[in-house]
Amino acid sequence: MSKTSRRDIILALGALGILPGAARAQTRTRRQAQPGRGKVEPFSWDLLKARAAALASQPYRAPAKVAAAEAIDYDAVGSITYKPDRTLAGGIRLFPLGRYAPTPVAIHIVEGGQARAVDFAPDLFQATAGHHAALGLAGFRAVSPDGKSDWMAYIGASYFRTAGSQDQYGLSARGIAIDTGIDGKEEFPAFTAFWIEPNGAQAYTIYALLDGPSVTGAYRFLCRHTAGSGAAGGVVQDVSSTITLRKDVARLGIAPATSMFWYGEGNRAAAVDWRPEIHDSDGLAMASGSGERIWRPLDNPATPTLDSFQDSNPRGFGLIQRDRAFDHYQDDGAFYDRRPNLWVEPKGDWGKGAVTLYAFPTASETVDNVAAFWVPAAPAKAGQTLTFDYRLTWASRDASVAAAAHVVDTWRGAAGRPGSAPTAGARKLVVDFVGTTLAGLDRSSGVTAQVDVGRGRVLANAAYPVVGQPNRWRVTVDIEPERGAIADVRLYLKRGTLSLSETLLTQIGA
C-alpha cells in the first residue's frame, strides 16, 4: 500500500470537496464542445466485457498524463468548478484535472443502448480569477436534486465512494486491489472510461473499463440513493465485475475498501491532536460462511500488519464506524461521527479464501492506512477470467449487527487490580457488548467470557453487566503475552454452551 499514492488521493479529495483521481481517455481540448455532444456508438454490458477481454490480449500502455496539470495544486484545483447549468443525465457533474488527478478519463452518457461521448471543453468549468483553467476530465459525481450536495463520486485510479445516509463522505472503495501490502509491488489499475445511464430519481447504472499492468476488467454498478436521514437510508450499489489477468498476481483483492484509523479510545497514547478520536472506521466486521459474527477492532500499528481470516463463501464483511457519538470526536468540521459504514455482501459462490486486513502506521488523518478485501484461495494466474458479483451498502446503520450482542467499545490499560501496582509484562483488555440477547441477565445468570489466547496466557478475567446500562455487559481480561510476542485474543460471551455475542478478535502486546 503506497503511502504517497494514498496521500495524494486524500489531498485531491479535499481540494475537490470529495475525491480526486486518475484514469485515462480523450485529450481533445481544441473545440469548445458542449457536454453530451460527442460521438455516438452502440453500447451494452456485453460489448464492454468484450472490449475488456480484447484489451487483456494487448500489452499494457500507461495512459498519458497532462503535464500542465502539475501546476494545479491543492488550492488551485478547488478554485475550478463545473458549471451547474451543464449538469448531465439529471444530476452528473464533472471533476477537472489537477496535480493529484493528472490523467484524463473518457465519460459517456447512455440512453436507449446508445452511448454519447462527453467532449471536454474548458468552458464546462469556471475558475476563480487568477487561477488556471480546466485542462480535462478527471471523474464525476452525482449531485442531490437541489444541487447543493453530492452523494457519489468516482475519481482516482479505481476509487469511488458515497456519502451514505448522513451526507458525509468517509472511507473509499476500489474496483480491485493488486498486491496490497507487498512492499514495492502494489499496483493501482485505473478506471479509464465510464458510461453513465440514468435509471430514475437518484439512481444510475455506472459502467467502467478497468486497465492496469496486471489486469483488465469490466464493471457494472447499479447505484441508488435511498431516502432517509440519520441512521435510515443510504446508498446501495449492486456490482458485477469480470476481470482478466495479464500477469500472475500474488495477492488479488476483491471488493476492497480503504479507510483511515489514526487513534481511538483503545490507543489513547497516539492522541497528539486535541480531538479525542480520529478515524473513518473503527473495526472490520465479518459474517462467515458458517454464520459466525466477528469483530476486529482497527488499530494504528507500529509497523505494517497483515491479518487473514480464512473462510468459505463469506456472507459479508466490511469496514464499520460503530462509534457514532459526536462528543467522542468533538469534530464539527470533518464529522467523524457521521462517516458511513461499508458492508460487502458477496453474491453466488465465492469459494475458499480469506478476508484480509492490511494496515500501516500513520501520524495524520490525511493518509488512508487501512484496507480490507477478499483474497481467493486459488492462485491468480495470467490468462484467467474471473467474475465476482456483490452488493455494497453505504449507511450509518450497521448491517453487520445481527441478533447476538455486538462489541461497542474496547479499551486497553495496565493489568492488575485498580489501585494496586500494575502487573509487569501484562496488559488489561476491556470489552463492552450490547444486545438483546443480554436482556434480563444478571450476575447470577451463568454468563461467562470465553477467552482463548495464542502466544500468551490469561491471568484473570471477569464478565458482568454494566450498572445502569440496559443490555450492556463488560468483559475484563488480564493477558500476559509470551516474551517478545504479540498475543492473539479470541473472546465472546456465552451462557453454558450458548453463544450470546459476536466474537472479538484482537492482539495484545506487553
Side-chain angles (χ1 to χ4, degrees), residues 315-356:
R315 299 183 184 182
F317 63 92
L319 294 174
I320 307 296
Q321 183 80 314
R322 280 190 176 169
D323 189 343
R324 298 199 164 271
F326 172 80
D327 61 344
H328 291 185
Y329 303 94
Q330 291 295 336
D331 195 320
D332 59 352
F335 293 107
Y336 289 106
D337 58 301
R338 301 180 186 177
R339 301 288 167 124
N341 303 316
L342 178 53
W343 183 243
V344 181
E345 295 175 88
K347 298 180 180 181
D349 185 355
W350 279 24
K352 294 182 179 180
V355 176
T356 301

Short mmCIF file of all heavy atoms in Angstrom, two decimals, residues 315-356:
data_model
loop_
_atom_site.label_atom_id
_atom_site.label_comp_id
_atom_site.label_asym_id
_atom_site.label_seq_id
_atom_site.Cartn_x
_atom_site.Cartn_y
_atom_site.Cartn_z
N ARG A 315 -20.54 -14.53 4.08
CA ARG A 315 -21.84 -13.88 3.94
C ARG A 315 -21.71 -12.36 3.88
O ARG A 315 -22.59 -11.68 3.36
CB ARG A 315 -22.74 -14.27 5.10
CG ARG A 315 -23.01 -15.76 5.19
CD ARG A 315 -23.97 -16.09 6.32
NE ARG A 315 -24.17 -17.53 6.46
CZ ARG A 315 -24.98 -18.09 7.34
NH1 ARG A 315 -25.70 -17.33 8.16
NH2 ARG A 315 -25.09 -19.40 7.41
N GLY A 316 -20.62 -11.83 4.43
CA GLY A 316 -20.42 -10.38 4.39
C GLY A 316 -19.19 -9.97 5.15
O GLY A 316 -18.69 -10.69 6.02
N PHE A 317 -18.67 -8.79 4.81
CA PHE A 317 -17.56 -8.19 5.55
C PHE A 317 -17.54 -6.70 5.22
O PHE A 317 -18.10 -6.27 4.21
CB PHE A 317 -16.21 -8.85 5.20
CG PHE A 317 -15.78 -8.69 3.77
CD1 PHE A 317 -14.98 -7.62 3.36
CD2 PHE A 317 -16.19 -9.61 2.80
CE1 PHE A 317 -14.59 -7.48 2.04
CE2 PHE A 317 -15.80 -9.48 1.47
CZ PHE A 317 -15.00 -8.42 1.09
N GLY A 318 -16.90 -5.93 6.08
CA GLY A 318 -16.83 -4.50 5.79
C GLY A 318 -16.16 -3.71 6.88
O GLY A 318 -15.98 -4.18 8.01
N LEU A 319 -15.76 -2.49 6.53
CA LEU A 319 -15.18 -1.55 7.49
C LEU A 319 -16.30 -0.68 8.03
O LEU A 319 -17.06 -0.06 7.27
CB LEU A 319 -14.10 -0.71 6.81
CG LEU A 319 -12.87 -1.51 6.37
CD1 LEU A 319 -11.91 -0.63 5.58
CD2 LEU A 319 -12.16 -2.13 7.56
N ILE A 320 -16.40 -0.63 9.37
CA ILE A 320 -17.57 -0.08 10.04
C ILE A 320 -17.15 1.03 11.01
O ILE A 320 -16.11 0.92 11.66
CB ILE A 320 -18.31 -1.19 10.83
CG1 ILE A 320 -18.64 -2.37 9.92
CG2 ILE A 320 -19.57 -0.63 11.49
CD1 ILE A 320 -19.59 -2.07 8.78
N GLN A 321 -17.95 2.07 11.09
CA GLN A 321 -17.79 3.13 12.10
C GLN A 321 -18.92 2.96 13.12
O GLN A 321 -19.99 3.54 12.99
CB GLN A 321 -17.85 4.51 11.43
CG GLN A 321 -17.62 5.70 12.36
CD GLN A 321 -16.15 5.96 12.64
OE1 GLN A 321 -15.40 5.04 12.92
NE2 GLN A 321 -15.73 7.22 12.56
N ARG A 322 -18.68 2.13 14.15
CA ARG A 322 -19.73 1.87 15.14
C ARG A 322 -19.90 3.01 16.13
O ARG A 322 -21.01 3.24 16.62
CB ARG A 322 -19.41 0.57 15.89
CG ARG A 322 -19.80 -0.67 15.11
CD ARG A 322 -19.71 -1.93 15.93
NE ARG A 322 -20.18 -3.07 15.16
CZ ARG A 322 -20.03 -4.33 15.52
NH1 ARG A 322 -19.42 -4.63 16.67
NH2 ARG A 322 -20.49 -5.31 14.75
N ASP A 323 -18.83 3.70 16.44
CA ASP A 323 -18.91 4.80 17.41
C ASP A 323 -19.48 6.03 16.71
O ASP A 323 -18.82 6.64 15.87
CB ASP A 323 -17.53 5.10 17.97
CG ASP A 323 -17.56 6.07 19.14
OD1 ASP A 323 -18.60 6.76 19.30
OD2 ASP A 323 -16.57 6.14 19.88
N ARG A 324 -20.72 6.40 17.07
CA ARG A 324 -21.42 7.50 16.40
C ARG A 324 -21.83 8.60 17.37
O ARG A 324 -22.76 9.35 17.11
CB ARG A 324 -22.64 6.96 15.64
CG ARG A 324 -22.20 6.00 14.55
CD ARG A 324 -23.21 5.75 13.47
NE ARG A 324 -22.53 5.13 12.33
CZ ARG A 324 -21.97 5.80 11.34
NH1 ARG A 324 -22.04 7.11 11.31
NH2 ARG A 324 -21.35 5.17 10.36
N ALA A 325 -21.08 8.74 18.47
CA ALA A 325 -21.35 9.81 19.44
C ALA A 325 -20.48 11.02 19.11
O ALA A 325 -19.26 10.93 19.08
CB ALA A 325 -21.06 9.32 20.86
N PHE A 326 -21.11 12.16 18.86
CA PHE A 326 -20.35 13.36 18.49
C PHE A 326 -19.31 13.71 19.54
O PHE A 326 -18.18 14.08 19.21
CB PHE A 326 -21.30 14.54 18.29
CG PHE A 326 -20.58 15.85 18.11
CD1 PHE A 326 -20.04 16.20 16.88
CD2 PHE A 326 -20.42 16.74 19.17
CE1 PHE A 326 -19.34 17.39 16.71
CE2 PHE A 326 -19.73 17.93 19.02
CZ PHE A 326 -19.19 18.26 17.78
N ASP A 327 -19.67 13.59 20.83
CA ASP A 327 -18.74 14.02 21.87
C ASP A 327 -17.51 13.12 21.98
O ASP A 327 -16.54 13.49 22.64
CB ASP A 327 -19.44 14.13 23.23
CG ASP A 327 -20.02 12.82 23.71
OD1 ASP A 327 -20.16 11.89 22.90
OD2 ASP A 327 -20.33 12.72 24.91
N HIS A 328 -17.51 11.97 21.30
CA HIS A 328 -16.31 11.13 21.27
C HIS A 328 -15.28 11.65 20.28
O HIS A 328 -14.12 11.24 20.33
CB HIS A 328 -16.68 9.70 20.93
CG HIS A 328 -17.45 9.01 22.00
ND1 HIS A 328 -17.80 7.67 21.93
CD2 HIS A 328 -17.94 9.46 23.18
CE1 HIS A 328 -18.48 7.33 23.02
NE2 HIS A 328 -18.59 8.41 23.78
N TYR A 329 -15.70 12.53 19.38
CA TYR A 329 -14.81 13.10 18.37
C TYR A 329 -14.64 14.62 18.53
O TYR A 329 -13.56 15.14 18.25
CB TYR A 329 -15.36 12.82 16.96
CG TYR A 329 -15.57 11.37 16.66
CD1 TYR A 329 -16.80 10.76 16.85
CD2 TYR A 329 -14.52 10.57 16.19
CE1 TYR A 329 -17.00 9.41 16.57
CE2 TYR A 329 -14.71 9.23 15.91
CZ TYR A 329 -15.96 8.65 16.11
OH TYR A 329 -16.15 7.32 15.85
N GLN A 330 -15.72 15.30 18.89
CA GLN A 330 -15.71 16.76 19.03
C GLN A 330 -15.23 17.45 17.75
O GLN A 330 -14.54 18.47 17.79
CB GLN A 330 -14.83 17.17 20.22
CG GLN A 330 -15.39 16.79 21.57
CD GLN A 330 -16.68 17.52 21.91
OE1 GLN A 330 -16.96 18.59 21.38
NE2 GLN A 330 -17.47 16.93 22.80
N ASP A 331 -15.64 16.92 16.61
CA ASP A 331 -15.21 17.48 15.33
C ASP A 331 -16.44 17.96 14.58
O ASP A 331 -17.21 17.16 14.05
CB ASP A 331 -14.46 16.44 14.52
CG ASP A 331 -13.69 17.05 13.36
OD1 ASP A 331 -14.24 17.98 12.72
OD2 ASP A 331 -12.56 16.61 13.09
N ASP A 332 -16.61 19.29 14.51
CA ASP A 332 -17.77 19.85 13.82
C ASP A 332 -17.42 20.33 12.43
O ASP A 332 -18.14 21.13 11.83
CB ASP A 332 -18.40 20.98 14.63
CG ASP A 332 -17.44 22.13 14.91
OD1 ASP A 332 -16.24 21.98 14.59
OD2 ASP A 332 -17.87 23.16 15.44
N GLY A 333 -16.32 19.80 11.88
CA GLY A 333 -15.94 20.10 10.51
C GLY A 333 -15.84 18.84 9.68
O GLY A 333 -16.44 18.73 8.61
N ALA A 334 -15.10 17.86 10.18
CA ALA A 334 -14.94 16.58 9.48
C ALA A 334 -16.06 15.60 9.83
O ALA A 334 -16.31 14.66 9.07
CB ALA A 334 -13.59 15.96 9.81
N PHE A 335 -16.71 15.79 10.97
CA PHE A 335 -17.86 14.97 11.37
C PHE A 335 -17.58 13.47 11.26
O PHE A 335 -18.26 12.74 10.52
CB PHE A 335 -19.10 15.34 10.54
CG PHE A 335 -19.61 16.72 10.80
CD1 PHE A 335 -19.42 17.72 9.84
CD2 PHE A 335 -20.26 17.04 11.98
CE1 PHE A 335 -19.88 19.01 10.07
CE2 PHE A 335 -20.72 18.33 12.21
CZ PHE A 335 -20.53 19.31 11.26
N TYR A 336 -16.62 13.01 12.03
CA TYR A 336 -16.31 11.58 12.01
C TYR A 336 -17.45 10.73 12.54
O TYR A 336 -17.55 9.54 12.19
CB TYR A 336 -15.02 11.31 12.79
CG TYR A 336 -13.80 11.82 12.06
CD1 TYR A 336 -13.12 12.96 12.48
CD2 TYR A 336 -13.33 11.16 10.92
CE1 TYR A 336 -12.02 13.44 11.80
CE2 TYR A 336 -12.23 11.63 10.23
CZ TYR A 336 -11.57 12.77 10.67
OH TYR A 336 -10.48 13.23 9.97
N ASP A 337 -18.32 11.29 13.34
CA ASP A 337 -19.47 10.55 13.85
C ASP A 337 -20.49 10.26 12.75
O ASP A 337 -21.38 9.41 12.94
CB ASP A 337 -20.15 11.32 14.99
CG ASP A 337 -20.60 12.71 14.58
OD1 ASP A 337 -19.75 13.52 14.16
OD2 ASP A 337 -21.80 13.00 14.66
N ARG A 338 -20.38 10.91 11.60
CA ARG A 338 -21.33 10.72 10.51
C ARG A 338 -20.77 9.88 9.36
O ARG A 338 -21.45 9.66 8.36
CB ARG A 338 -21.77 12.07 9.95
CG ARG A 338 -22.43 12.99 10.97
CD ARG A 338 -22.83 14.30 10.31
NE ARG A 338 -23.34 15.26 11.28
CZ ARG A 338 -23.71 16.50 10.98
NH1 ARG A 338 -23.60 16.92 9.72
NH2 ARG A 338 -24.15 17.33 11.92
N ARG A 339 -19.53 9.42 9.49
CA ARG A 339 -18.90 8.70 8.39
C ARG A 339 -19.65 7.39 8.11
O ARG A 339 -20.02 6.67 9.03
CB ARG A 339 -17.44 8.40 8.72
CG ARG A 339 -16.60 9.66 8.98
CD ARG A 339 -16.35 10.42 7.70
NE ARG A 339 -15.84 11.75 7.92
CZ ARG A 339 -14.70 12.22 7.41
NH1 ARG A 339 -13.94 11.42 6.68
NH2 ARG A 339 -14.32 13.45 7.61
N PRO A 340 -19.87 7.07 6.83
CA PRO A 340 -20.66 5.87 6.52
C PRO A 340 -19.90 4.57 6.77
O PRO A 340 -18.67 4.53 6.72
CB PRO A 340 -20.98 6.03 5.02
CG PRO A 340 -19.88 6.89 4.51
CD PRO A 340 -19.51 7.83 5.62
N ASN A 341 -20.67 3.52 7.05
CA ASN A 341 -20.15 2.15 7.03
C ASN A 341 -20.15 1.65 5.59
O ASN A 341 -20.94 2.12 4.77
CB ASN A 341 -21.03 1.23 7.87
CG ASN A 341 -21.18 1.69 9.30
OD1 ASN A 341 -20.20 2.10 9.93
ND2 ASN A 341 -22.40 1.65 9.83
N LEU A 342 -19.31 0.66 5.31
CA LEU A 342 -19.34 -0.01 4.00
C LEU A 342 -19.39 -1.51 4.24
O LEU A 342 -18.44 -2.10 4.75
CB LEU A 342 -18.12 0.36 3.17
CG LEU A 342 -18.01 -0.33 1.80
CD1 LEU A 342 -19.29 -0.15 0.98
CD2 LEU A 342 -16.80 0.17 1.03
N TRP A 343 -20.52 -2.12 3.87
CA TRP A 343 -20.76 -3.55 4.07
C TRP A 343 -20.82 -4.23 2.72
O TRP A 343 -21.56 -3.81 1.83
CB TRP A 343 -22.05 -3.75 4.84
CG TRP A 343 -22.39 -5.17 5.20
CD1 TRP A 343 -23.48 -5.88 4.78
CD2 TRP A 343 -21.67 -6.04 6.07
NE1 TRP A 343 -23.47 -7.13 5.33
CE2 TRP A 343 -22.37 -7.26 6.12
CE3 TRP A 343 -20.48 -5.90 6.80
CZ2 TRP A 343 -21.94 -8.35 6.88
CZ3 TRP A 343 -20.04 -6.98 7.56
CH2 TRP A 343 -20.77 -8.18 7.59
N VAL A 344 -20.01 -5.28 2.55
CA VAL A 344 -19.91 -6.04 1.31
C VAL A 344 -20.67 -7.36 1.48
O VAL A 344 -20.38 -8.13 2.40
CB VAL A 344 -18.44 -6.34 0.95
CG1 VAL A 344 -18.36 -7.11 -0.37
CG2 VAL A 344 -17.62 -5.06 0.90
N GLU A 345 -21.61 -7.64 0.58
CA GLU A 345 -22.35 -8.91 0.60
C GLU A 345 -22.07 -9.66 -0.71
O GLU A 345 -22.59 -9.29 -1.76
CB GLU A 345 -23.84 -8.66 0.74
CG GLU A 345 -24.25 -8.01 2.06
CD GLU A 345 -25.73 -7.69 2.08
OE1 GLU A 345 -26.52 -8.59 2.47
OE2 GLU A 345 -26.09 -6.56 1.71
N PRO A 346 -21.26 -10.71 -0.65
CA PRO A 346 -20.99 -11.50 -1.86
C PRO A 346 -22.25 -12.15 -2.40
O PRO A 346 -23.15 -12.53 -1.66
CB PRO A 346 -20.00 -12.56 -1.36
CG PRO A 346 -19.35 -11.95 -0.16
CD PRO A 346 -20.45 -11.15 0.50
N LYS A 347 -22.30 -12.26 -3.72
CA LYS A 347 -23.39 -12.97 -4.39
C LYS A 347 -22.81 -14.19 -5.08
O LYS A 347 -21.73 -14.12 -5.67
CB LYS A 347 -24.08 -12.07 -5.41
CG LYS A 347 -24.74 -10.83 -4.81
CD LYS A 347 -25.40 -10.00 -5.91
CE LYS A 347 -26.07 -8.75 -5.35
NZ LYS A 347 -26.73 -7.95 -6.42
N GLY A 348 -23.52 -15.30 -5.03
CA GLY A 348 -23.03 -16.50 -5.67
C GLY A 348 -21.96 -17.19 -4.84
O GLY A 348 -21.76 -16.91 -3.66
N ASP A 349 -21.24 -18.08 -5.47
CA ASP A 349 -20.25 -18.93 -4.81
C ASP A 349 -18.86 -18.31 -4.93
O ASP A 349 -18.26 -18.35 -6.00
CB ASP A 349 -20.28 -20.33 -5.43
CG ASP A 349 -19.37 -21.32 -4.73
OD1 ASP A 349 -18.64 -20.89 -3.81
OD2 ASP A 349 -19.38 -22.50 -5.09
N TRP A 350 -18.35 -17.75 -3.85
CA TRP A 350 -17.01 -17.18 -3.85
C TRP A 350 -15.96 -18.21 -3.44
O TRP A 350 -14.76 -17.95 -3.52
CB TRP A 350 -16.93 -15.95 -2.94
CG TRP A 350 -17.44 -14.71 -3.61
CD1 TRP A 350 -18.32 -14.64 -4.64
CD2 TRP A 350 -17.09 -13.36 -3.27
NE1 TRP A 350 -18.54 -13.31 -4.98
CE2 TRP A 350 -17.81 -12.51 -4.15
CE3 TRP A 350 -16.26 -12.79 -2.33
CZ2 TRP A 350 -17.70 -11.13 -4.11
CZ3 TRP A 350 -16.17 -11.40 -2.27
CH2 TRP A 350 -16.88 -10.58 -3.15
N GLY A 351 -16.39 -19.38 -2.96
CA GLY A 351 -15.46 -20.44 -2.62
C GLY A 351 -14.58 -20.12 -1.42
O GLY A 351 -14.93 -19.33 -0.55
N LYS A 352 -13.41 -20.76 -1.39
CA LYS A 352 -12.48 -20.60 -0.28
C LYS A 352 -11.59 -19.38 -0.49
O LYS A 352 -11.26 -19.04 -1.62
CB LYS A 352 -11.64 -21.86 -0.11
CG LYS A 352 -12.43 -23.08 0.32
CD LYS A 352 -11.51 -24.28 0.51
CE LYS A 352 -12.31 -25.50 0.96
NZ LYS A 352 -11.43 -26.68 1.16
N GLY A 353 -11.19 -18.78 0.62
CA GLY A 353 -10.31 -17.63 0.57
C GLY A 353 -10.17 -17.03 1.94
O GLY A 353 -10.33 -17.71 2.96
N ALA A 354 -9.90 -15.74 1.98
CA ALA A 354 -9.70 -15.06 3.26
C ALA A 354 -10.07 -13.60 3.16
O ALA A 354 -9.72 -12.92 2.18
CB ALA A 354 -8.24 -15.19 3.71
N VAL A 355 -10.80 -13.11 4.17
CA VAL A 355 -10.94 -11.67 4.34
C VAL A 355 -9.61 -11.18 4.89
O VAL A 355 -9.11 -11.70 5.89
CB VAL A 355 -12.09 -11.33 5.32
CG1 VAL A 355 -12.14 -9.83 5.56
CG2 VAL A 355 -13.42 -11.83 4.77
N THR A 356 -9.03 -10.22 4.22
CA THR A 356 -7.67 -9.77 4.54
C THR A 356 -7.69 -8.32 4.99
O THR A 356 -8.33 -7.48 4.36
CB THR A 356 -6.75 -9.95 3.32
OG1 THR A 356 -6.75 -11.34 2.94
CG2 THR A 356 -5.34 -9.51 3.62
#
